[in-house]
Amino acid sequence: MVPASKRFQGFLFDLDGTLLDTAPDLLAALNHLLRRNHKPELLEKDVRGAISNGSNGLIKLAFGIDSSAPEFNSLKLEFLDYYRLNLFQNTRPFPGIEEILIKIEQSKRPWGIVTSKLSSFTIPLVEHFGWSLRAKCVVCGDTLKQNKPHPAPLLEGANYLGLPPNECLYTGDAITDVQASKAAGMQVVTAGYGYLPDNKTAKTWDSNGFIESPYELEFWLQ
């Protein structure tokens, strides 16, 4: 934990597994693909730990193949096409997220989004949930040439907030979030309610804090 006297001037967030619970709609897209290929469907508990690995990780989990398999790209494209058309079916902000964002705004401090999700998916989601005019930045997986765990996306986010990295706090749910934050000179909180491989592993990531609920971020607003 950082000292309670440390007051961050800006806040950056990952999207999937941090701001939004996108697992239900990602699972629906994956199960659509499995049905089409006459394979048994998966449950949400089967896929949550793989969501941070993106579409490649989900295809690998569901079909037991990697990107070298001849059918991999066609499966991935079909998965993404279905997901693109069904982004908002059951995706919701995690309980407590909206309250925390309002508290940040009431404190007159900026916040933004730094995600590895492609802009073609991220921007519609951000607009759908009314955040496009509230977030000071939306840095997506295809905004820059580099992606997390490279620090560039977080440095870009801090630049949009008009703050040095050490005055920003990043919240994410993947090891790459911790690695990118450390490389950027930014403190980071692990979202323990997100899509972790398991809490025991995540607690070894050397983040500056571990939260079980978005409501716990209020401590970091002090």
Side-chain angles (χ1 to χ4, degrees):
M1 284 292 188
V2 296
S5 58
K6 171 65 177 177
R7 191 173 193 270
F8 294 99
Q9 299 303 315
F11 297 85
L12 294 169
F13 296 91
D14 181 38
L15 189 66
D16 298 65
T18 303
L19 289 179
L20 292 178
D21 186 3
T22 54
D25 289 329
L26 287 164
L27 176 63
L30 198 61
N31 279 336
H32 164 77
L33 209 57
L34 288 166
R35 286 193 301 272
R36 292 256 297 158
N37 287 272
H38 311 291
K39 292 184 176 294
E41 296 183 27
L42 297 173
L43 301 175
E44 189 171 316
K45 66 179 179 64
D46 301 322
V47 303
R48 286 181 70 89
I51 288 175
S52 293
N53 298 323
S55 55
N56 284 3
L58 290 171
I59 298 298
K60 182 178 180 180
L61 172 70
F63 290 89
I65 58 175
D66 61 26
S67 57
S68 65
E71 69 272 32
F72 189 91
N73 284 339
S74 62
L75 287 170
K76 179 178 175 178
L77 287 173
E78 186 177 352
F79 168 80
L80 292 175
D81 284 344
Y82 185 93
Y83 179 54
R84 184 177 288 107
L85 295 174
N86 296 275
L87 280 173
F88 318 122
Q89 297 303 309
N90 292 291
T91 289
R92 300 289 184 272
F94 283 100
I97 283 296
E98 191 57 42
E99 290 91 332
I100 286 296
L101 295 180
I102 289 172
K103 285 181 181 292
I104 292 171
E105 291 164 353
Q106 288 174 339
S107 74
K108 308 298 183 186
R109 285 175 282 178
W111 64 274
I113 297 168
V114 180
T115 175
S116 296
K117 203 179 191 78
L118 297 177
S119 55
S120 59
F121 302 99
T122 300
I123 300 305
L125 282 166
V126 171
E127 291 177 347
H128 179 78
F129 290 103
W131 294 337
S132 55
L133 296 179
R134 295 169 61 189
K136 297 300 182 186
C137 68
V138 181
V139 180
C140 305
D142 49 354
T143 300
L144 304 174
K145 291 181 180 179
Q146 305 95 340
N147 213 336
K148 297 179 293 184
H150 197 282
L154 288 179
L155 293 172
E156 182 81 350
N159 185 55
Y160 271 108
L161 299 191
L163 295 167
N166 66 354
E167 291 187 8
C168 300
L169 180 72
Y170 187 63
T171 304
D173 68 320
I175 182 62
T176 51
D177 296 326
V178 177
Q179 293 166 338
S181 300
K182 295 290 185 181
M186 189 178 297
Q187 296 204 45
V188 56
V189 171
T190 297
Y193 56 85
Y195 306 143
L196 306 179
D198 62 72
N199 280 2
K200 189 173 181 181
T201 299
K203 287 178 178 176
T204 69
W205 288 351
D206 195 32
S207 62
N208 300 100
F210 187 94
I211 57 172
E212 300 284 2
S213 161
Y215 291 105
E216 293 177 45
L217 278 171
E218 190 163 358
F219 169 84
W220 301 82
L221 269 63
Q222 301 304 315

